[in-house]
Every structure is written in structure tokens, then in C-alpha cells.
Amino acid sequence: MRIFTNLRLLQIIDTSLLITLLAGMALLLWSSLSDVSAKAQQNEQHYALAIQEAYLAFQKQTELEVLIDNQRKAYDALNDEFFRFANNPNSDRENLPLIRELSDHLKKRSADILRAWPINTDHHLKAQFEELTGILTGLIDELESLSSAHWLQLARDAHDTSREAHALMEKVTTLDDKVGQQTMLSIQESIQETAANTQAMAKRLEAVKYKTLLITALIIVGLLLSRFYFSGHFRQLIYTAQEAQAMAEEAVKTKARFLATMSHEIRTPMNGVIGMTRLLMNTPMSKKQSEFVESIHLSGEHLLTVINDVLDFSKIEAGKLDLKREPVELRACIEDVFNLLSAKALEKNLELAYAVAPTIPLFIEGDVARLRQILTNLIGNAIKFTEQGEVSVSVTAASQDKQRYELEFEISDTGYGIPTDRIDSIFESFSQADNTLTRQGEGTGLGLAISRRLVEMMEGRIWVASELGVGSHFHFTLMTQTATGKLKPFLYPNIPEITGKRILIVENNPINHQALQNFCQDWGAITQACTNVSEAISLLVSGQHYDIGLVNSRLPKASALAFGRYVRNRYNQQAFPLILIAPPNDPHPKELVRELFNLYLTKPITRSRLFDSLMTVLGELNLLTARTEQAPLKLGERLPLSILLAEDNPINQIVATSILNEMAYKAEIAENGRQVLEALRKQAFDVIFMDMQMPELDGLAATRLIRSEFPTDRQPIIIAMTANAMESDKQACLTAGMNDYISKPILPEAIEAALQHWCIPPKPQAQPLLNYVSLSQ
Amino acid sequence: MSVLANKTLELLPASILPRLIALFASTTPALIAEIQQHAASGNLLAMAQAAHHLKGSCLSLGAENMAELCTELQHKGEAQDKLGIDDFIAELVTSYPVTLAALQQTQT
């Protein structure tokens, strides 16, 4: 069911069902209990009423009994009096008042009884009672009117009547008993009814109990069913979610694999370029060539870094980039970037300068590649968007806490500037300040975004201040601390050759001005800086003496040359050497410059170049380079040989030639035996490294032909190179006329050992095979 | 017998390794195909030569396992012994990507 794929909906349905069930249960309980409660209330009322009635009836009965008793006593008293009156011969009228009194009493009592006569009883009895009472009370009147002779008779009648009345009273008593019985019955009935009601209520409660039990059971069953049902769907949902998660993870892995593959695919040829360049750097070259190769090398490395960084961007995005913590030579790092970018800056005649505050240690902790990346990006951008003027970098310590520093870098240019509305978005991915400029500089638009992220990773921030048409100032900070690293010679403070030397600096660019002073002072020199020629001349006029002069070629009005002339009129090149700081395309006539200045210092000014220049003019450069370059001579330099490599496998060709190149040998290559013979006919070779199995003509056959066809003085040393490591193969080689045998893989040690063995001293006789050939076994 | 003898690689100039690995990647499939083809057509001597050629590459790069397989194939081919050749070839085919990956791994 589609609707149950929504977890929230499921929860709502589940909860609603639960609430409905509970509400149903509560409602049923409520109605049942209300019913029982109403019944109980009714019962209680009924019961109270019955009790009340019983009580009233009982009261009435008691009252009636008293009345009956009184009546009976009144009857008896009247009867006794009548009897006495009738039977007493002395009775006279004087006794009558007593009888009348008694009769009146009776009348009163009778009235009382009649008043309390139970309702719904025998009317006949009541009439009889009234009649009898009437007779008895009437007797007194009759008595008073009769003569005494009749009194006896009348008294007897009265006595009879009285007895009748007495008997009647018995009947009335019975009546009263009946009332009492009725009351009892009524009470009993009421009790029975109450008991019955209570029982009914108990039954009802029992029923409620069972109903509740049943409903609860139903609810439980319902809940179980719903839980079961929903848990099934929950499981399905969880399963779906897990499946989605697995898919997502798989996608991430696929992406990572893709990136890894991509990076590898791109890096491999780049590594090839760089590696080959490195090999090239080891070959003898002119100075110009060396510079070019160095440039290729730097560019290659930079390109590789860029490739890596573009790939790293995804790493940063995924939070998977780790910064290294290694000693970074901050100044060298900036100089490296300058070297890398100087060609571009020179194309536009831009000044490149940097200054690092002297308080900042030589080595800071950080990731040099990442720092270089940020700087390359920012400085590169500055150069890209600046048509004239200068690009400068300054580094200051924004704050310092013992060994910890917050460094602030400022990269300033005199370029177009950035429109205000672009400043905020400039550090976003794929954003460049001006799309029209983008075409000019082939950026990916990722540079600043990467820089921002890198800076943030270095616990810093990056921002820009810019004014259209005036230039931009990119700032970034980073947290770092002092580190210790291996110093290059020019990074040591107080270089003995420079210490104490007085250096005059004539430089109008404030940043270069600062940099030159900082560098020279670090090496122990005493500097005097001026911003123009007249200032410098007046210093000289005042009798100051300097050991070296550093002069910017771009002083206004070509005054650099004027200063040179002034100095040379007074000092020769040894007494006061002058160095002209100039871009490679310096417009001043070279011959004139050479006449006046000891040498050029090519811009941009870096520590290493300045150091080299100073050491050169101080005549001590050779001393220093001799100190740093004392590598042993390579075999090829000590033992020059012409070598032919016969090998058809391109991999092995590269391996063998590169190993030979490392030893300063340059090998010719033949792909088969026939080519070997052709090559040997053209020129003599000292050594042939010969693969055994080659197409057309194999190594053994070629060797036999060489040994038989060529004169003794053109016989080369032939060293087999083969992957067959069997003793029989070795024998076959020797039998065919080879001198020695190297097993593959070909290793530098084996080649070197073989060459040394066979070529020093010159060409000994064939000797038994040595151990070095069997490295792979 | 390891897939890759790193010692051999370490002894080579680091700068040429990327190129060597790229060459290995581009030439080996063709050589394996040649070995398979010759084995199928029964030209065992030709197969032995192809195996020898591949062995040379493998040894240079320290691909010991593949080199060993090539040696076996070469010997069997030279001895005109068909027995078990298919197994060796199959193993060679599966060993190649593993070896290439191991080689590429050294460059990352």
C-alpha cells in the first residue's frame, strides 16, 4: 500500500486507532457504570422511603396501642363505675358526676382513637366502635334522666355495653396488630427489595466487569494486530531506508573510486612529465636550458598540485582533506610562488615584491603545499587582473602568544578592482569577479573557493577590500606556531661573509625597500636605505662608505644610471660593487650597465637570488657552492663509455636507459639483433647490453655474428640481459661469445658492477660470472 | 611469491615509474591476448616467446607473480607441453589487474 510508505502517516494512523479503542472502552465503561450508579441511587431512595414509612407506621401503631390501652382503661373505669353504681343500693345522684366525668373521659379517649384510626381498615368496626362509644357516653345522660329504680337495669345494660365495648377493643387491638404486621411486612418487603436490588446491582457490576474484560481483551487484540501490521510496514520502511542508505554509500564509494581513478589517470602522465624533467635536470645543460627546465619542472609540479587540488576540492567538500603539520619556510614559500609566476608578471612589467615581518620565525608549522596553493591563487589572480603597477605580499603577525602566531597575509595589487556587488560572492565556488575577465584568465572559478576553505581549515579567515580602478587587497589569516626545519644556506642568519658589511639600498618601491633591508639585516649586514638617488649621493658626499650598493633600475628619470656613473667616477667595481635590481627586460643598454654595475639581480627579488648576488660580488660564491655541491662524480663522468642497448621491450628500454642516464651514460637503442649490427657498423661501442630474445635476430645470434664479423679493436663488451635465469641460459650466452650476464629485473647496482668489472681497467679477458648477476634469484 | 616486489621498484629511479606503469598497462593486455591466441592455435613456441616478452616487463616492475606465471608458460611452450597451460593463462589473466592496481597504488 502506497500510503503506508509515509512514516508519519503510519504513526498518525496508529495513534488514532489506539485513541479510538481507548475512547470506546472508556465510553462503554462510563455508560455501564452510570447506569449502575443511577440504579443504586434509586435503590437508596426507595430504601430510605420504605424505612421512613415503616418508622411512621410503627409510631402510629405505638400511638394507637397507647390510645387503645387508654380507651380500654376508660371503658373499664366506666364499666366498674356503672357496675358499682348499679349494684350499690346506696347509689344516688351524688355518684353521677363521677360517672359523667368518666364518660366524658371516655368520649375524649374515643375521639383520640378515632383520630388515630388506621386508614383503610374495617369501616364496620369503626362504626361499631362509634356506636358503642356513643351508647356508653349516652348512658350518663340516660342515667341522669332516669329514676334510681331504673339505674340498676341501666347500669347492667351499661355494664354489658361496656363489656361489649371492651370486647370491641380487643378487636381494635387486633386491628392494631394487623397494622403492626403490615408495617413489619412492609419493612420486610422493603428489605427484600433492597437485597434484590443490591443483588441486581452486583450482577450488573459483574456484567460490567466481564464487559470491561472483554473490551480490554478486544483492545489488546486490536492493538496487537495493529502493531503487527504496522511493525511489518515499519520494517519495510526501515528496509527501504537501509537500502537507500546502502545505495547512497555505494554512490559515495563510486564517486571516491572515480576520483581516485581520475586523479591517478591525470597524475600518472604528469608524474611522467615531472619525472622526465627531473632526469633532464641531471643532464649537462647550458644555464639558459637549466632555467627553462627548472621552469618546466616548477610548472609541472604546480600543474600537478592544481590537478590534485581540483580533486581535493571534492575532498574538502566531503570533509576529507587533512592538512599536514610540517615546518614551512614561509619566505621561501612566497619566493617559490613568485618564481612560478614571475614570467607572467614580467610580461606585463609588473613589480613583484614581498615583505615578511622580522618577528615572524623562519619556519612556521603548516602545510606548505596548501599555503603555496592559496598564495599562488591570490598572487596569480592579482597578476591576472593587474595591467600595470605592482603586486605585493606582506605578512605580519596579527597576534602572538608565545610560540603561537596569527599571521595576516595581505596581497595587494593595482589592478581593476572588484565591483562592490561582487565582493560578497567572490569566495563562492565557480565565481569570478567579472566574467569578461574570466575569458582573459583561464581560471576554473574554484581557486578562491578552495582558498577560502583552506584558510578556514587553517583557523583563519579571508576577505577582500577593493576599490574600482585602484586595486584590491586580499587578506587572509592563519593560526600557526614556530617550527624547526632544515635551513638553506641563505636562510641562516648572520652569514659570516655578509656580517658587518655596509649595504646601501636605493629603492623607491616601499615593499622591495623593506624586503631588501630585512634580508640583508637578517644576514648580518648594516643597511642604509634611500628612496631616491639624490638622497644616496648626499650620503656618499657626507663621507659614508659602503661595501655594496643595491640599486633599483626603475628609479625615476633613469637616475639609476646616473647614480652608477657618480659612483664609478669615485670608486672602481671592487671598491664599491653595485648591483642593479632589474626585470629581465630591463630597457637600459646592457653594455653601459655592465660598465657601471657589477651584476644584474633579476626581479622578482627573492632571498636566494639576493643571497647569490651578494655572494658573487663579494667574490665568495664559489666557496659557498663548493661547500654545498660535493656530490661524488658519477660513473659516466669518471668512466665515459659508448653504450648500445639492444632491447625490444619498451619497458625494459626505459628502465635500462634511465638507469644508465642516472650514471651519466647516454645509451643508443637497438630493437633487435639486426639493428645492433647496423649500429656497430656505423660506430664502435664500448659496451652492448644485449637482450637474448629479440625479433628478427636474437641476442645470441647477433653476438655470434659480432664476434665473427668485426675486427678485434671494434669488439665491444657484450653483457646479456635476460629474464631467463637458468644455468643453461648463462652457458648459452658465454658460449655465444658474450662477456657477462645480467638477470632481469635490471637494477642499477648490477649494471654499475658489470661496467666497473669489465671497463676498469680497460677491457680485461672474459672471466667467470660473478655473483652480482643473480640479484633476482 | 608476492604480487609486487616493492624492493625492485624502490631501486628504480622514481621519475620513470609512472611511465613504466603506463607502458605496462598499455602493452600487457595485448601480450596476454597474444599468449592466449598462440595457446589456442597450438603454436606453443610462439606462445613461449610472447610469455618471455611479458616476463621481461614483469620482472622489471617487480611483478613477481606474473613473471613466475610467464616463466611457467615459457617453459611449457618451449617443451611443447600443453598440460595445464590454460590454467596458467587463466591465472595470468586474473593476476594482471591485481598487479596493475598494486603498481598504480605505489604512485598514489
PDB file of all heavy atoms in Angstrom, chain B residues 6 10 12 25 27 34 36 45-47 50 53 58 60 64 68 80 82 86 88 104 106:
ATOM      1  N   ASN B   6      58.190  -4.720  -3.926  1.00  0.00           N
ATOM      2  CA  ASN B   6      58.410  -3.279  -3.848  1.00  0.00           C
ATOM      3  C   ASN B   6      59.891  -2.921  -3.886  1.00  0.00           C
ATOM      4  O   ASN B   6      60.256  -1.826  -4.260  1.00  0.00           O
ATOM      5  CB  ASN B   6      57.764  -2.716  -2.582  1.00  0.00           C
ATOM      6  CG  ASN B   6      56.271  -2.593  -2.750  1.00  0.00           C
ATOM      7  OD1 ASN B   6      55.792  -2.198  -3.814  1.00  0.00           O
ATOM      8  ND2 ASN B   6      55.522  -2.963  -1.726  1.00  0.00           N
ATOM      9  N   GLU B  10      61.700   0.165  -5.730  1.00  0.00           N
ATOM     10  CA  GLU B  10      62.444   1.186  -4.991  1.00  0.00           C
ATOM     11  C   GLU B  10      63.805   1.442  -5.602  1.00  0.00           C
ATOM     12  O   GLU B  10      64.360   2.539  -5.501  1.00  0.00           O
ATOM     13  CB  GLU B  10      62.617   0.753  -3.530  1.00  0.00           C
ATOM     14  CG  GLU B  10      61.375   0.998  -2.692  1.00  0.00           C
ATOM     15  CD  GLU B  10      61.407   0.212  -1.398  1.00  0.00           C
ATOM     16  OE1 GLU B  10      62.506  -0.210  -0.986  1.00  0.00           O
ATOM     17  OE2 GLU B  10      60.323   0.015  -0.816  1.00  0.00           O
ATOM     18  N   LEU B  12      64.509   1.450  -8.697  1.00  0.00           N
ATOM     19  CA  LEU B  12      64.421   2.164  -9.969  1.00  0.00           C
ATOM     20  C   LEU B  12      64.275   3.658  -9.712  1.00  0.00           C
ATOM     21  O   LEU B  12      63.753   4.059  -8.683  1.00  0.00           O
ATOM     22  CB  LEU B  12      63.203   1.669 -10.750  1.00  0.00           C
ATOM     23  CG  LEU B  12      63.284   0.231 -11.259  1.00  0.00           C
ATOM     24  CD1 LEU B  12      61.969  -0.172 -11.877  1.00  0.00           C
ATOM     25  CD2 LEU B  12      64.399   0.085 -12.271  1.00  0.00           C
ATOM     26  N   ALA B  25      50.609  -0.977 -18.445  1.00  0.00           N
ATOM     27  CA  ALA B  25      49.149  -1.028 -18.589  1.00  0.00           C
ATOM     28  C   ALA B  25      48.751  -1.096 -20.066  1.00  0.00           C
ATOM     29  O   ALA B  25      47.760  -1.746 -20.414  1.00  0.00           O
ATOM     30  CB  ALA B  25      48.512   0.177 -17.922  1.00  0.00           C
ATOM     31  N   THR B  27      50.692  -2.199 -22.711  1.00  0.00           N
ATOM     32  CA  THR B  27      51.226  -3.297 -23.535  1.00  0.00           C
ATOM     33  C   THR B  27      50.799  -4.681 -23.056  1.00  0.00           C
ATOM     34  O   THR B  27      50.710  -5.616 -23.863  1.00  0.00           O
ATOM     35  CB  THR B  27      52.770  -3.254 -23.555  1.00  0.00           C
ATOM     36  OG1 THR B  27      53.249  -3.287 -22.210  1.00  0.00           O
ATOM     37  CG2 THR B  27      53.283  -2.003 -24.238  1.00  0.00           C
ATOM     38  N   GLU B  34      48.000 -12.243 -27.026  1.00  0.00           N
ATOM     39  CA  GLU B  34      48.871 -12.986 -27.938  1.00  0.00           C
ATOM     40  C   GLU B  34      49.142 -14.381 -27.378  1.00  0.00           C
ATOM     41  O   GLU B  34      49.080 -15.381 -28.113  1.00  0.00           O
ATOM     42  CB  GLU B  34      50.181 -12.199 -28.090  1.00  0.00           C
ATOM     43  CG  GLU B  34      50.939 -12.521 -29.358  1.00  0.00           C
ATOM     44  CD  GLU B  34      52.260 -11.748 -29.420  1.00  0.00           C
ATOM     45  OE1 GLU B  34      52.296 -10.585 -28.956  1.00  0.00           O
ATOM     46  OE2 GLU B  34      53.249 -12.337 -29.909  1.00  0.00           O
ATOM     47  N   GLN B  36      47.277 -16.048 -25.327  1.00  0.00           N
ATOM     48  CA  GLN B  36      46.033 -16.827 -25.429  1.00  0.00           C
ATOM     49  C   GLN B  36      45.842 -17.341 -26.860  1.00  0.00           C
ATOM     50  O   GLN B  36      45.501 -18.507 -27.075  1.00  0.00           O
ATOM     51  CB  GLN B  36      44.836 -15.948 -25.040  1.00  0.00           C
ATOM     52  CG  GLN B  36      44.702 -15.758 -23.530  1.00  0.00           C
ATOM     53  CD  GLN B  36      43.629 -14.749 -23.180  1.00  0.00           C
ATOM     54  OE1 GLN B  36      43.492 -13.734 -23.850  1.00  0.00           O
ATOM     55  NE2 GLN B  36      42.866 -15.038 -22.136  1.00  0.00           N
ATOM     56  N   LEU B  45      55.534 -22.564 -29.389  1.00  0.00           N
ATOM     57  CA  LEU B  45      56.813 -21.833 -29.399  1.00  0.00           C
ATOM     58  C   LEU B  45      56.573 -20.328 -29.437  1.00  0.00           C
ATOM     59  O   LEU B  45      57.219 -19.566 -28.711  1.00  0.00           O
ATOM     60  CB  LEU B  45      57.659 -22.274 -30.601  1.00  0.00           C
ATOM     61  CG  LEU B  45      58.478 -23.541 -30.380  1.00  0.00           C
ATOM     62  CD1 LEU B  45      59.220 -23.924 -31.656  1.00  0.00           C
ATOM     63  CD2 LEU B  45      59.474 -23.350 -29.225  1.00  0.00           C
ATOM     64  N   ALA B  46      55.609 -19.928 -30.262  1.00  0.00           N
ATOM     65  CA  ALA B  46      55.263 -18.505 -30.330  1.00  0.00           C
ATOM     66  C   ALA B  46      54.721 -18.043 -28.996  1.00  0.00           C
ATOM     67  O   ALA B  46      55.015 -16.935 -28.529  1.00  0.00           O
ATOM     68  CB  ALA B  46      54.221 -18.277 -31.437  1.00  0.00           C
ATOM     69  N   MET B  47      53.933 -18.914 -28.375  1.00  0.00           N
ATOM     70  CA  MET B  47      53.392 -18.575 -27.065  1.00  0.00           C
ATOM     71  C   MET B  47      54.534 -18.380 -26.062  1.00  0.00           C
ATOM     72  O   MET B  47      54.519 -17.441 -25.261  1.00  0.00           O
ATOM     73  CB  MET B  47      52.451 -19.682 -26.582  1.00  0.00           C
ATOM     74  CG  MET B  47      51.787 -19.349 -25.267  1.00  0.00           C
ATOM     75  SD  MET B  47      51.197 -20.805 -24.402  1.00  0.00           S
ATOM     76  CE  MET B  47      52.722 -21.470 -23.781  1.00  0.00           C
ATOM     77  N   ALA B  50      56.102 -14.991 -26.553  1.00  0.00           N
ATOM     78  CA  ALA B  50      55.262 -13.904 -26.015  1.00  0.00           C
ATOM     79  C   ALA B  50      55.340 -13.896 -24.492  1.00  0.00           C
ATOM     80  O   ALA B  50      55.444 -12.824 -23.858  1.00  0.00           O
ATOM     81  CB  ALA B  50      53.815 -14.080 -26.471  1.00  0.00           C
ATOM     82  N   HIS B  53      58.537 -12.391 -23.416  1.00  0.00           N
ATOM     83  CA  HIS B  53      58.500 -10.934 -23.560  1.00  0.00           C
ATOM     84  C   HIS B  53      57.787 -10.279 -22.374  1.00  0.00           C
ATOM     85  O   HIS B  53      58.276  -9.329 -21.763  1.00  0.00           O
ATOM     86  CB  HIS B  53      57.761 -10.591 -24.868  1.00  0.00           C
ATOM     87  CG  HIS B  53      57.923  -9.161 -25.276  1.00  0.00           C
ATOM     88  ND1 HIS B  53      58.978  -8.737 -26.061  1.00  0.00           N
ATOM     89  CD2 HIS B  53      57.182  -8.070 -25.016  1.00  0.00           C
ATOM     90  CE1 HIS B  53      58.881  -7.445 -26.249  1.00  0.00           C
ATOM     91  NE2 HIS B  53      57.788  -7.007 -25.637  1.00  0.00           N
ATOM     92  N   CYS B  58      57.478  -7.829 -16.641  1.00  0.00           N
ATOM     93  CA  CYS B  58      57.048  -8.091 -15.261  1.00  0.00           C
ATOM     94  C   CYS B  58      58.236  -8.025 -14.304  1.00  0.00           C
ATOM     95  O   CYS B  58      58.136  -7.442 -13.229  1.00  0.00           O
ATOM     96  CB  CYS B  58      56.381  -9.448 -15.157  1.00  0.00           C
ATOM     97  SG  CYS B  58      54.838  -9.517 -16.077  1.00  0.00           S
ATOM     98  N   SER B  60      60.971  -6.409 -14.606  1.00  0.00           N
ATOM     99  CA  SER B  60      61.455  -5.041 -14.428  1.00  0.00           C
ATOM    100  C   SER B  60      60.631  -4.276 -13.411  1.00  0.00           C
ATOM    101  O   SER B  60      61.129  -3.387 -12.736  1.00  0.00           O
ATOM    102  CB  SER B  60      61.417  -4.291 -15.758  1.00  0.00           C
ATOM    103  OG  SER B  60      62.417  -4.822 -16.593  1.00  0.00           O
ATOM    104  N   GLU B  64      56.302 -10.129  -9.511  1.00  0.00           N
ATOM    105  CA  GLU B  64      56.880 -11.470  -9.369  1.00  0.00           C
ATOM    106  C   GLU B  64      55.910 -12.586  -9.740  1.00  0.00           C
ATOM    107  O   GLU B  64      56.271 -13.553 -10.401  1.00  0.00           O
ATOM    108  CB  GLU B  64      57.366 -11.656  -7.930  1.00  0.00           C
ATOM    109  CG  GLU B  64      58.586 -10.817  -7.627  1.00  0.00           C
ATOM    110  CD  GLU B  64      59.141 -11.095  -6.245  1.00  0.00           C
ATOM    111  OE1 GLU B  64      58.431 -11.717  -5.441  1.00  0.00           O
ATOM    112  OE2 GLU B  64      60.279 -10.678  -5.989  1.00  0.00           O
ATOM    113  N   GLU B  68      56.467 -15.214 -12.699  1.00  0.00           N
ATOM    114  CA  GLU B  68      56.542 -16.647 -12.442  1.00  0.00           C
ATOM    115  C   GLU B  68      55.613 -17.407 -13.398  1.00  0.00           C
ATOM    116  O   GLU B  68      55.983 -18.427 -13.986  1.00  0.00           O
ATOM    117  CB  GLU B  68      56.177 -16.914 -10.979  1.00  0.00           C
ATOM    118  CG  GLU B  68      56.292 -18.358 -10.540  1.00  0.00           C
ATOM    119  CD  GLU B  68      57.734 -18.848 -10.547  1.00  0.00           C
ATOM    120  OE1 GLU B  68      58.669 -18.001 -10.574  1.00  0.00           O
ATOM    121  OE2 GLU B  68      57.922 -20.063 -10.540  1.00  0.00           O
ATOM    122  N   GLN B  80      56.902 -27.835 -25.526  1.00  0.00           N
ATOM    123  CA  GLN B  80      55.713 -28.303 -26.256  1.00  0.00           C
ATOM    124  C   GLN B  80      54.766 -29.090 -25.334  1.00  0.00           C
ATOM    125  O   GLN B  80      54.151 -30.058 -25.731  1.00  0.00           O
ATOM    126  CB  GLN B  80      56.126 -29.201 -27.448  1.00  0.00           C
ATOM    127  CG  GLN B  80      56.974 -28.510 -28.481  1.00  0.00           C
ATOM    128  CD  GLN B  80      56.174 -27.590 -29.386  1.00  0.00           C
ATOM    129  OE1 GLN B  80      54.945 -27.666 -29.423  1.00  0.00           O
ATOM    130  NE2 GLN B  80      56.826 -26.693 -30.091  1.00  0.00           N
ATOM    131  N   LYS B  82      51.480 -29.103 -23.411  1.00  0.00           N
ATOM    132  CA  LYS B  82      50.215 -28.376 -23.340  1.00  0.00           C
ATOM    133  C   LYS B  82      49.566 -28.443 -21.954  1.00  0.00           C
ATOM    134  O   LYS B  82      48.668 -27.670 -21.641  1.00  0.00           O
ATOM    135  CB  LYS B  82      49.218 -28.965 -24.353  1.00  0.00           C
ATOM    136  CG  LYS B  82      49.361 -28.366 -25.735  1.00  0.00           C
ATOM    137  CD  LYS B  82      48.216 -28.847 -26.591  1.00  0.00           C
ATOM    138  CE  LYS B  82      48.086 -28.013 -27.850  1.00  0.00           C
ATOM    139  NZ  LYS B  82      46.994 -28.464 -28.692  1.00  0.00           N
ATOM    140  N   ASP B  86      46.295 -23.798 -19.964  1.00  0.00           N
ATOM    141  CA  ASP B  86      45.088 -22.973 -19.816  1.00  0.00           C
ATOM    142  C   ASP B  86      44.964 -22.417 -18.402  1.00  0.00           C
ATOM    143  O   ASP B  86      44.579 -21.263 -18.205  1.00  0.00           O
ATOM    144  CB  ASP B  86      43.839 -23.787 -20.168  1.00  0.00           C
ATOM    145  CG  ASP B  86      43.790 -24.074 -21.664  1.00  0.00           C
ATOM    146  OD1 ASP B  86      44.519 -23.371 -22.405  1.00  0.00           O
ATOM    147  OD2 ASP B  86      43.046 -24.987 -22.075  1.00  0.00           O
ATOM    148  N   PHE B  88      47.404 -21.800 -16.320  1.00  0.00           N
ATOM    149  CA  PHE B  88      48.378 -20.722 -16.122  1.00  0.00           C
ATOM    150  C   PHE B  88      47.899 -19.432 -16.783  1.00  0.00           C
ATOM    151  O   PHE B  88      48.019 -18.346 -16.220  1.00  0.00           O
ATOM    152  CB  PHE B  88      49.745 -21.126 -16.691  1.00  0.00           C
ATOM    153  CG  PHE B  88      50.495 -22.080 -15.806  1.00  0.00           C
ATOM    154  CD1 PHE B  88      50.866 -23.343 -16.247  1.00  0.00           C
ATOM    155  CD2 PHE B  88      50.834 -21.713 -14.507  1.00  0.00           C
ATOM    156  CE1 PHE B  88      51.552 -24.210 -15.425  1.00  0.00           C
ATOM    157  CE2 PHE B  88      51.527 -22.574 -13.681  1.00  0.00           C
ATOM    158  CZ  PHE B  88      51.880 -23.841 -14.140  1.00  0.00           C
ATOM    159  N   GLN B 104      49.852   0.764  -9.542  1.00  0.00           N
ATOM    160  CA  GLN B 104      49.305   2.124  -9.510  1.00  0.00           C
ATOM    161  C   GLN B 104      49.222   2.627  -8.089  1.00  0.00           C
ATOM    162  O   GLN B 104      49.357   3.817  -7.822  1.00  0.00           O
ATOM    163  CB  GLN B 104      47.944   2.148 -10.196  1.00  0.00           C
ATOM    164  CG  GLN B 104      48.092   2.030 -11.700  1.00  0.00           C
ATOM    165  CD  GLN B 104      46.788   1.829 -12.430  1.00  0.00           C
ATOM    166  OE1 GLN B 104      45.820   1.370 -11.844  1.00  0.00           O
ATOM    167  NE2 GLN B 104      46.768   2.168 -13.703  1.00  0.00           N
ATOM    168  N   THR B 106      51.290   2.196  -5.832  1.00  0.00           N
ATOM    169  CA  THR B 106      52.577   2.725  -5.370  1.00  0.00           C
ATOM    170  C   THR B 106      52.743   4.187  -5.752  1.00  0.00           C
ATOM    171  O   THR B 106      53.561   4.888  -5.181  1.00  0.00           O
ATOM    172  CB  THR B 106      53.763   1.942  -5.995  1.00  0.00           C
ATOM    173  OG1 THR B 106      53.696   2.118  -7.415  1.00  0.00           O
ATOM    174  CG2 THR B 106      53.711   0.472  -5.654  1.00  0.00           C
TER     175      THR B 106
END
